[in-house]
Amino acid sequence: MNRPDPSPPPGHPSAGLPSAGPPAAESAPGQARRFLPEVQALRALAVLLVVAYHFAPGLVPGGFVGVDVFFVISGFLITGHLLREVRATGRIDLPAFWAGRVRRILPAALATVAAVVVATLLLEPETQWGLASRQALASVFSVQNWVLAADAVDYLAAEHQPTALQHFWSLGVEEQFYLVWPLLVAGAAALAAGRTVLRSRSRPRAPFPLRSGDRFPALAGALFGAVVVASLGWSIHLTGAGDPAAYFVTPTRVWELAAGGLLALGMESRPDPWPWRPWLWPGPARAAVALAGFAAIAAAAFGYDAGTPFPGGAAALPVAGTAAVIAAGRTSGPLALNRLLGLAPVQWVGDVSYSLYLWHWPVLVFLGPRLAGWTRGRDPGESPGWEAAPQVAGLVLASLLLAAASHRFIEVPARRFAPLAASRWRTLAAGTAAVALAAGLAVVPGLRQQAVVAGQQDAAGQLLADPPPDFGASAGGGLPPAYVDGTRTVVPVPARAEQDRPRLGACIQGQSSAERHECTFGAEGGTVTVALIGDSHAVQWYQPMLQAAQRNGWTLVTYLKNSCPFSAATRTLELKGRTECTEPNQRTLERILERGDIDAVVTSYWAGAEFAGSAAEGFAAYWERLEDAGIQVYPIVDTPRPGHRVPTPDCVVEHAPAPRPCGAPEGAAFERADATRQAARLEPRVDVLDFRDRFCADGFCPAVVGNVLVYRDHHHVTDTYMRTLAPAFGDRLGAALRADGLDW
């Protein structure tokens, strides 16, 4: 996590920030303390909470609030520095300020990006290279938070594997804050002084006098407070609406940094030593406040979890706790924590906290799954359990060693490098060049992926032009082996498998949409009209349905919406504000009934979906309404899922010669919560369709069948595989329709 320089060298633009160097004697009244051990301890606590949450989230389920602690610290220290600069010099030297941020932030951050890019090329399958390039570029240009926000609301991108740079989102928030916040402080000072306070070529401005009626604190407080209120209000609104982007975007987070700025403004040193304060605010009272602050942070860290709507109003608890600890400052009395906070290990972790934050997540992503004994297939961020404690300890040790090396050999030398420290313009030029070089390196994995994929696409095109008899699920008997016809070419190309899905545009509505669009395909005025309804797992059956309609002269009508099973039961996702299903489902049912020309409904859903009530009763309620209206219902048992926890295309690339590890035993491949058959028992007039024999054979469900990749991610089937399954689907659905008297 990105923080102001704790120990600026002479001439450094952040000179004047409290130092993390050796403790000095207690400051005289009215003077700023040069050493803030409580802030260093907060840094240590914040980074350890984040590391613990990532390495063992079951231990500290709300450890993500460590980021919020960092935000308050950064806002406090940066604002304090800017306020003192305005008071002392009558101006803000923006180039010098930003040059200081360049020396403090860029060297370790760009070194991490470069290391991740190289490690990705060496250790990760080519399926991940394009995404790695995208996120590396976003990290270099400090917009990672906006990229992750866009992915969070993208239904397809939500299936992306965690990358080694996604933790750079918080650095993006801070760096965007550093671009704008000095201008806000300068604006408040300009309003108070009636003149500009930005540095110009003319002589420096005179310092602001500290006199009765000084308007600067009031104006700055009003501006800072407006930012806090507006940002917090938007954060509460967006989080309450269930928008997953709320976690990442700058407008929902900047209030936390601004709160630190308000705190700095309130604690600003003045000539008047406020002689009344020792009686109103004695050391023992401050110790109680500090303890309450740490307790608030702990309550959030251990009381929150991944299900807590965050940030929103919930972020106020760790923010208030951090502010309380900083405001309390140096404490005394029996409740004082000075000795604990000043311990050398605590202060050392605070010193290296920025590097530790940078390096711990790449260590987990790259090293975690490769450690012997680590729970197989574990995703980064998923609790490994106590049996993996030695591996977790190894990850922590590796992270600490990298952090120590980064701090000693990158952070500190870069801050003290005399040729750069002596010139802000030289620093900015060097920073620009370094960003350009890092950006050039960041695009390498993407370019390399394009080259690899181009060759694979040529081979895949030849295979599609002349497919073998046992291509995919098209074989008449049992499933063919993974590879047939003497070739290991896989279709679709794994690195492009995510795109192998029906392209129906607005005919597939997103999670947040309040509609299910009605779209018509196949024959106009067909002999039979069949509706396909459901979520993304119903979308999978579009190609088989379309081919059956075209072959038999049917009319196909679709009502498709991601994350919305066609059920009267409410999804828990809807209760969290993450999707809207109840109204669209009800309107779809009414539309089908009022049309009067739909003969049959085919429906399916992702069986891993969770419902607030009985899923089976919810499905049966809708099916009963349809059957009562004379509409035949054909629910399809959900498709199996692969056994590997990484996306199937990644697994297949890693196990190309023998991709069996990417499949799953049949007994474990189907979601246990699938309510399809249970609902059919409640409404026995429906005819359940089960195509497990087209996905599994001899008790096993493979990931590659007859040179066709079965899955495009963790559980969605590729469109190519569904096309090869279409003949069997058409035969079975046609037979079911004829058995129910719907002949043509």
Side-chain angles (χ1 to χ4, degrees):
M1 175 53 63
N2 179 15
R3 307 161 317 285
D5 182 9
S7 53
H12 193 281
S14 57
L17 293 184
S19 172
E26 195 68 29
S27 302
Q31 294 180 352
R33 288 190 297 134
R34 302 298 299 168
F35 175 64
L36 301 179
E38 65 276 9
V39 172
Q40 282 295 86
L42 280 171
R43 287 171 172 164
L45 175 63
V47 76
L48 291 177
L49 285 176
V50 172
V51 171
Y53 174 69
H54 286 155
F55 286 4
L59 185 64
V60 190
F64 51 83
V65 301
V67 171
D68 305 270
V69 175
F70 273 133
F71 283 161
V72 178
I73 294 172
S74 293
F76 170 75
L77 292 177
I78 280 295
T79 305
H81 162 62
L82 293 170
L83 295 176
R84 286 187 294 274
E85 183 177 2
V86 168
R87 289 288 187 192
T89 68
R91 61 182 177 82
I92 292 179
D93 191 338
L94 285 179
F97 173 83
W98 287 326
R101 297 305 90 217
V102 166
R103 284 197 296 276
R104 177 68 181 91
I105 295 167
L106 282 189
L110 295 184
T112 304
V113 171
V116 166
V117 168
V118 173
T120 297
L121 288 169
L122 295 176
L123 301 175
E124 295 295 297
E126 70 261 18
T127 46
Q128 290 294 313
W129 293 352
L131 179 60
S133 271
R134 178 170 173 255
Q135 295 210 351
L137 282 171
S139 299
V140 167
F141 291 109
S142 302
V143 293
Q144 179 72 283
N145 62 314
W146 292 101
V147 170
L148 290 179
D151 287 350
V153 298
D154 184 335
Y155 180 80
L156 297 171
E159 296 290 340
H160 285 165
Q161 189 75 350
T163 72
L165 291 173
Q166 65 183 33
H167 65 312
F168 268 61
W169 74 268
S170 57
L171 275 71
V173 171
E174 291 200 13
E175 287 158 26
Q176 291 156 36
F177 173 81
Y178 295 154
L179 286 177
V180 177
W181 196 249
L183 300 176
L184 191 66
V185 176
L191 289 173
R195 56 180 170 83
T196 181
V197 296
L198 297 181
R199 188 180 188 277
S200 67
R201 293 182 181 275
S202 61
R203 62 184 178 83
R205 299 293 187 184
F208 283 132
L210 295 175
R211 62 180 184 272
S212 176
D214 183 8
R215 296 187 302 161
F216 176 58
L219 287 170
L223 288 174
F224 295 178
V227 173
V228 171
V229 171
S231 174
L232 176 57
W234 183 244
S235 180
I236 292 172
H237 165 73
L238 210 60
T239 303
D243 190 335
Y247 191 85
F248 300 107
V249 294
T250 306
T252 64
R253 292 290 193 163
V254 74
W255 76 269
E256 303 176 31
L257 293 116
L262 268 176
L263 179 63
L265 184 65
M267 296 176 64
E268 183 189 10
S269 299
R270 296 175 179 274
D272 177 9
W274 296 353
W276 46 264
R277 187 168 62 176
W279 289 272
L280 182 65
W281 189 235
R286 296 202 305 272
V289 170
L291 282 174
F294 280 118
I297 297 171
F302 293 98
Y304 293 172
D305 58 27
T308 302
F310 202 86
L317 184 60
V319 168
T322 305
V325 174
I326 297 174
R330 192 74 171 173
T331 60
S332 62
L335 298 179
L337 299 176
N338 297 334
R339 183 169 297 179
L340 174 63
L341 302 185
L343 288 175
V346 173
Q347 295 296 304
W348 181 82
V349 174
D351 284 342
V352 303
S353 56
Y354 177 45
S355 283
L356 181 55
Y357 182 85
L358 288 176
W359 290 100
H360 84 281
W361 182 253
V363 166
L364 176 59
V365 170
F366 290 121
L367 187 58
R370 292 171 173 85
L371 283 179
W374 191 259
T375 51
R376 294 182 180 178
R378 173 184 173 274
D379 290 333
E382 181 185 349
S383 186
W386 289 109
E387 71 279 0
Q391 287 73 38
V392 173
L395 294 177
V396 171
L397 179 60
S399 300
L400 288 172
L401 290 174
L402 280 172
S406 175
H407 178 73
R408 179 174 179 180
F409 298 112
I410 300 176
E411 276 194 74
V412 174
R415 291 202 306 268
R416 298 175 178 174
F417 187 52
L420 295 184
S423 170
R424 55 185 177 276
W425 297 112
R426 196 178 298 150
T427 296
L428 293 174
T432 301
V435 167
L437 288 173
L441 179 63
V443 302
V444 170
L447 295 176
R448 178 60 181 152
Q449 184 189 63
Q450 291 179 11
V452 171
V453 168
Q456 295 175 344
Q457 293 280 39
D458 289 343
Q462 296 175 13
L463 186 63
L464 286 170
D466 185 21
D470 289 341
F471 186 63
S474 59
L479 293 182
Y483 302 117
V484 296
D485 203 33
T487 177
R488 288 183 179 172
T489 299
V490 175
V491 180
V493 171
R496 296 290 181 264
E498 182 185 39
Q499 305 167 16
D500 193 56
R501 48 190 167 83
R503 301 287 183 168
L504 297 177
C507 293
I508 305 174
Q509 287 293 288
Q511 291 178 242
S512 59
S513 171
E515 303 291 335
R516 280 185 189 268
H517 284 189
E518 179 181 277
C519 297
T520 303
F521 305 90
E524 184 177 349
T527 54
V528 174
T529 300
V530 183
L532 175 64
I533 314 174
D535 59 9
S536 62
H537 276 227
V539 173
Q540 297 177 152
W541 297 99
Y542 167 75
Q543 278 298 337
M545 283 287 302
L546 179 63
Q547 291 188 30
Q550 292 172 335
R551 186 176 70 180
N552 298 303
W554 303 341
T555 299
L556 171 62
V557 184
T558 62
Y559 303 89
L560 303 169
K561 186 176 187 298
N562 290 331
S563 298
C564 279
F566 185 56
S567 171
T570 302
R571 276 205 69 179
T572 54
L573 206 61
E574 185 171 15
L575 296 178
K576 297 176 181 178
R578 296 284 300 278
T579 188
E580 192 167 349
C581 296
T582 301
E583 289 298 323
N585 279 342
Q586 185 61 36
R587 285 195 294 269
T588 298
L589 178 63
E590 293 170 356
R591 172 59 178 161
I592 292 172
L593 294 175
E594 75 180 17
R595 277 183 58 128
D597 64 337
I598 292 182
D599 302 296
V601 164
V602 174
T603 185
S604 187
Y605 84 108
W606 176 50
E610 297 179 352
F611 295 85
S614 169
E617 292 177 4
F619 288 118
Y622 273 8
W623 299 349
E624 181 181 12
R625 293 279 304 278
L626 295 171
E627 291 282 355
D628 287 347
I631 300 172
Q632 301 297 320
V633 180
Y634 303 97
I636 303 176
V637 174
D638 191 25
T639 52
R641 54 178 169 79
H644 210 278
R645 296 301 300 276
V646 301
T648 301
D650 296 9
C651 181
V652 168
V653 170
E654 291 178 336
H655 299 87
R660 185 177 176 85
C662 306
E666 185 173 353
F670 291 88
E671 299 283 356
R672 296 180 180 179
D674 193 337
T676 303
R677 292 196 181 278
Q678 183 182 353
R681 287 192 289 271
L682 297 176
E683 176 45 73
R685 288 177 291 179
V686 306
D687 294 326
V688 176
L689 300 177
D690 191 343
F691 292 91
R692 72 175 57 216
D693 63 310
R694 295 291 84 196
F695 289 91
C696 308
D698 300 324
F700 188 79
C701 307
V704 179
V705 174
N707 292 83
V708 177
L709 185 64
V710 179
Y711 305 97
R712 57 180 169 88
D713 53 26
H714 291 89
H715 53 86
H716 290 99
V717 180
T718 63
D719 210 34
T720 300
Y721 191 78
M722 295 304 276
R723 288 172 186 268
T724 67
L725 185 149
F729 175 86
D731 291 344
R732 295 185 194 180
L733 179 59
L737 290 170
R738 286 190 295 270
D740 288 327
L742 294 173
D743 211 343
W744 58 92

